[in-house]
Amino acid sequence: MSSVQMRDPPSFADVEAAARRLSGVAHRTPLVTSRMLDEMLGAHIVLKAEGFQRMGAFKFRGAYNAISQLTAEERGRGVVTASSGNHAQAVGLAASLLGASATILMPSDAPASKRAATEDYGATVIEYDRYRDDRHMLLADLAGELGASIVHPYDDPRVIAGAGTCALELAQDAEPQATVVVPVGGGGLLSGSAISLRSISRATRIIGVEPEASPDVHRSLRAGQRITVPISPSIADGQLLETPGEITFGVIASLVDEIVTVTDAEIIDAMRLLFERAKLVVEPSGASAFAAVLAGRVRDESIGVVLSGANVSAERFAELVAAS
Amino acid sequence: MSSVQMRDPPSFADVEAAARRLSGVAHRTPLVTSRMLDEMLGAHIVLKAEGFQRMGAFKFRGAYNAISQLTAEERGRGVVTASSGNHAQAVGLAASLLGASATILMPSDAPASKRAATEDYGATVIEYDRYRDDRHMLLADLAGELGASIVHPYDDPRVIAGAGTCALELAQDAEPQATVVVPVGGGGLLSGSAISLRSISRATRIIGVEPEASPDVHRSLRAGQRITVPISPSIADGQLLETPGEITFGVIASLVDEIVTVTDAEIIDAMRLLFERAKLVVEPSGASAFAAVLAGRVRDESIGVVLSGANVSAERFAELVAAS
């Protein structure tokens, strides 16, 4: 496959093929509804509880779909990526299931718990200094040295197609919603969701939600091209990117209706309400789409909301709830 | 129906009849499994996530099963109970669904949030002084005055039969487990579970778990009769009773294999692990059965665990996690 073809976004058929690969391996995560939430928000809300996915987030779908398409020989040489978050664990787990070795570049100041979780899946973690080292160069060097395949966290059509299976399930398991709201970081989940939803339910409005602290997709759409924004601190660590992905931005620009932003306080309110009313554990990035609904920034008669992950420790949850 | 007949425990046929009444009204709550939990505990663990039940706990099953058997005339005169916890909300919700008015006696020092949650279901709350007033007398007086039916929180065969549908679902939706572990307070859930499990899977060991702070069932079994124990403070507010129920104790004594106790610290460990690994919100009383497994007090190759409720505020959860 040439590198030019690799830059094409996946088609809906690619998402369907990903769903077949993931069948029996990934969990078909439940849809959660609550009469109380519906009454409170004046809309029928369908929550896609993706935190019940393997390793606790949607990232498993894309990593597994990508690695499962490597040849036996490529798997033999292993996979590499750079991530301190859910993508690291996703690649670790998917690689171990598929008999590939995984090497993950992780900043030396990443939380010990994230490193341990990744190593628990059998991956090798290599530290780098996030202030001094160039992550992209390091990753390319490492891949070259090992002859390993790079599994990009979002800007890879196989990863996007895998991520798209989450919204595919939402569309298959419930009546079509007037609006579907999806968190956006690098844009893999949002672009994959848009490819699925546009093919199944044309009338559905698709809205992406990013933290106010890194509104790169929002500003890039307004500028009509990918731009780089400064990042402020935010609790939504899975969504803090300076620049949208190349493939993902192309899909988002053509298929997504709107991007809205949320504050940290709004995300904490969402996490609290999901805990108390829906009895769901959701990490900050995973709660951002629901935060936009709760803050009244997205309104419609029926709203599908992707809760994309649940990897938050009890201590961190307690800290966030206590601080607000 | 004479009062002598009322003291008979329900049969398995009564549980099956309750399941038919609850079908389409109560949620069939999900079973949750986790490879990580299985590896950590060296057993196949099946969690019955009853916190996803309507109003957030198993109590809805018993209250609805009881109130739905009242005649139209009895419903017209309404129902009464005394509770500051999940049973109050269960009676409030079930009564409103069945067109009965509900009056709930609640101690004046009950948390405002519990009172508000009960009133949200349309129930009338009457306060009493838990140190000065005799709750049983007040309840009998109130029932007499209103001509209303009393819905006892556990010592009522209709309530026990309703509660038994939870373990019935566990037995129907999974392979039989070698051991099933169930929290015990008044004993409605445990006795109902035992009636279900003994009829479906004779070989299954049934274990009840109560807080060390009120080991009334444990000590009563040892004494061979219902005894009263002093209660110490505990976070497991749904399980703090001085004396086992009369009907429930009879069932427990004949059908349950063992009662074990857990400490508050063990319950908090269980809540934390369920949050982080299974992504489940569970209230202290609801986590006690899992706490017994986690503490190594229950061992077997396959263990079904009833997580009986999820009504804990984010603030309270944060407080418990921070304090431990």
Side-chain angles (χ1 to χ4, degrees), chain A residues 25 27 32 35-36 51-52 54 56 121 272 275-281 310-315 317-318 321-322, chain B residues 25 27 32 35-36 51-52 54 56 120-121 272 275-276 278-281 310-315 317-318 321-322:
Chain A
V25 183
H27 296 311
V32 175
R35 290 173 185 80
M36 264 190 287
F52 291 114
R54 292 184 76 169
Y121 289 119
R272 179 185 290 124
F275 181 100
E276 293 182 350
R277 298 295 169 146
K279 316 300 183 187
L280 292 173
V281 177
N311 288 331
V312 56
S313 71
E315 270 73 16
F317 180 83
V321 165
Chain B
V25 183
H27 296 312
V32 175
R35 288 173 187 80
M36 263 189 288
F52 290 114
R54 292 184 76 169
D120 278 352
Y121 290 119
R272 184 199 316 264
F275 181 100
E276 293 182 350
K279 317 299 183 187
L280 292 173
V281 177
N311 287 331
V312 55
S313 71
E315 268 73 16
F317 180 84
V321 165

